[in-house]
Amino acid sequence: MAIDDLARTVDEAARTATEITQLAESHSLTVDEAYAIQALSMRQRFERGEKLIGMKMGLTSRAKMQQMGVSDVIWGRLTDAMRVEDGDAIEFEKFVHPRVEPEIAFILKRPLEGRVTLLEAMNAIEAVAPAMEIIDSRYRNFKFSLPDVIADNSSSSAFVLGPWNSPSTDISNLGMAMQINGRAVQIGSSAAILGHPGRSLAAASRLVAASGLRLEAGWIIMAGGATAAEKLLPGMAVRLDVERIGRTAFSVSSRAA
Amino acid sequence: MTDDNAIADAATALRDAYGGSFITPLRERLGTNDPVTAYAIQEHNTKHWIAEGRRLIGRKIGATSAAVQNMLGLDQPDYGMLFADMSYSDGEIIPVDKVQQPKVEGEVAFAIGQDLDSDQLTIADILASIDYAVAAIEIVGSRIENWNIKILDTIADNASAGLFVLGSQPRRLADFDPVLCGMVIEKGGEPISTGAGMACLGNPLTATLWLAKKMVEVGRPLKKGDLVMSGALGPLAAISAGDSIELRISGLGSVRAHF
């Protein structure tokens, strides 16, 4: 099967919230081929009218790497259709088996291209926000190889942002507490994101360059999960509190309810 | 309740194991996992050590996370005794062979500024009693082979206490957020444990109130000048000789230890 066909397969799975078997079970894919599939599948979304508004980083914490059994940082594309307003509900049926993780998000005031230092990355930030990412692998049982997850837009499916804060905020070690229905389910620190979330931004700039891209001014960059992800179910109210920079929340509704 | 001879024997076995040997789980020898027996063993050794001349300077709170309580089969935290010879200061070389099977955790330590001897203590008493908070590395250890511990083993074994390292930037309670303060321990620049204040029983001050009440109940109330190691803000991390680590708690600065 050609790269084009695999791209259509993952796009269709995401569009219809239908699980699929791993591509790697029947195809031997390199990481570069996986990013090519991601680019082609996301092109289908852009042709349907979605807009590219940023990037997400994945597998950036020890907890996350352990949970997924891999060790590479990966990235995916964010579109305007993935954005959930702070406090809104997501509809469970629009996902296959969604999970949520606490993150830090950046909005950029100027582009970042290729290899940059942590200082250069931090200087390109317009503002920082508490954020949660709703990840949803389209693969059966949330099981996948590294090329699989990359081809599937690194499991990206939705995200919610809290208030924007000054870029001078020290984000190196912010306490993060994610609660579901009032009970703390994940507690961590932004330091779990590659030791400093800014390193994830620098890594994003470096990694997207391999696909001929740069991070653009106005883009949102999700730095990656600070803890393990939590499974989402209808009826859940999810809230993240981040030290000093505020909170963000969403709930999960169901068509059946 | 286990008889006095069995308690004395268990206490002696634990003290002897500090030399570097290990013992098999006490719950198996004693045929009980009862916390009352466990604290009787701990108290036996506390009295022994105080009589030997060790200076009691405070308490540690253990099992403050739901994960650890589940592992041990507990529904509340536990406590142990802190002696002056366990204390190290920021950046010192820690003789790691003093602690068996060492692991580190990041905590908030509180210095108590007034006696907490009422039998009806409230959180307001705790808020009013704290002189300062400081970041602290606790180096826990276990005299039980392979950390094969349940409630009785860890409580009898002084709540798996080892050594601790206090930071050098004491802060007032108003200067940091006890609930949402971020915590990271780095080894060689990489995070090996991350967490936040809420991981300690929801709030390190709540844990401290639990301890203060417990200490009144058992007749060793917290006194002015006592130190409280309030419990881990994140997972334990194993360390070995040659390691250098740094703990940072947001608002409380940093503390380093070299092993």
Side-chain angles (χ1 to χ4, degrees), chain B residues 33-201:
Chain B
N33 200 26
D34 170 32
V36 176
T37 303
Y39 280 118
I41 298 168
Q42 182 190 117
E43 177 64 16
H44 192 281
N45 277 340
T46 300
K47 284 184 180 138
H48 179 96
W49 283 321
I50 289 171
E52 260 186 3
R54 287 180 90 184
R55 179 183 161 218
L56 182 66
I57 58 152
R59 313 287 183 276
K60 66 157 285 183
I61 312 173
T64 46
S65 77
V68 172
Q69 287 183 13
N70 289 340
M71 182 193 86
L72 294 174
L74 272 170
D75 59 2
Q76 58 175 307
D78 62 15
Y79 64 85
M81 301 292 142
L82 298 179
F83 294 95
D85 50 65
M86 297 175 175
S87 175
Y88 287 80
S89 52
D90 191 1
E92 270 193 278
I93 309 270
I94 312 295
V96 73
D97 55 352
K98 271 190 163 183
V99 183
Q100 284 132 296
Q101 314 175 92
K103 296 180 184 196
V104 292
E105 50 190 37
E107 304 193 7
V108 179
F110 294 116
I112 303 297
Q114 63 189 52
D115 293 353
L116 288 169
D117 45 15
S118 163
D119 61 0
Q120 295 176 58
L121 290 169
T122 71
I123 193 69
D125 295 312
I126 302 300
L127 293 172
S129 75
I130 291 173
D131 253 355
Y132 62 85
V134 67
I137 296 168
E138 185 179 6
I139 304 142
V140 295
S142 181
R143 276 52 66 177
I144 313 290
E145 206 163 21
N146 299 320
W147 275 97
N148 179 4
I149 57 171
K150 289 286 179 190
I151 309 169
L152 180 124
D153 304 293
T154 184
I155 291 173
D157 188 19
N158 199 24
S160 305
L163 307 173
F164 60 91
V165 189
L166 290 187
S168 8
Q169 295 160 287
R171 295 274 196 266
R172 299 271 170 197
L173 273 185
D175 296 338
F176 77 111
D177 181 343
V179 175
L180 275 178
C181 58
M183 184 283 295
V184 56
I185 301 175
E186 286 186 351
K187 182 168 87 176
E190 291 298 320
I192 56 168
S193 176
T194 55
M198 197 189 265
C200 176
L201 222 63

Side-chain angles (χ1 to χ4, degrees), chain A residues 3 6 23 27-40 147 150-151:
Chain A
I3 296 274
L6 295 175
L23 307 181
H27 300 80
S28 167
L29 295 170
T30 65
V31 164
D32 286 347
E33 287 167 338
Y35 278 116
I37 294 169
Q38 181 192 122
L40 286 170
I150 292 167

Side-chain angles (χ1 to χ4, degrees), chain B residues 224-249:
Chain B
K224 178 178 166 62
D226 275 346
L227 184 76
V228 173
M229 295 285 288
S230 64
L233 307 191
L236 289 161
I239 46 103
S240 46
D243 287 344
S244 284
I245 62 166
E246 181 181 41
L247 163 70
R248 294 198 309 274
I249 297 180

Side-chain angles (χ1 to χ4, degrees), chain A residues 62 173 175 177 188-189 192 243-244, chain B residues 180 182-183 191 194-196 198 248 250:
Chain A
R62 263 171 85 85
N173 183 25
S189 160
E243 183 185 6
R244 288 203 293 276
Chain B
L180 275 178
M183 184 283 295
T194 55
M198 197 189 265
R248 294 198 309 274
S250 190

Side-chain angles (χ1 to χ4, degrees), chain A residues 121-136:
Chain A
M122 295 306 289
N123 280 336
I125 295 171
E126 170 82 27
V128 300
M132 287 187 280
E133 187 182 5
I134 295 141
I135 54 170
D136 188 27

Side-chain angles (χ1 to χ4, degrees), chain A residues 19 24 35 67 75 80 132 135 139 181 197 200 228 230 250 257:
Chain A
E19 65 178 17
Y35 278 116
Q67 189 184 10
W75 60 276
D80 57 342
M132 287 187 280
I135 54 170
Y139 300 107
N181 295 341
S200 184
E230 285 288 323
F250 69 95

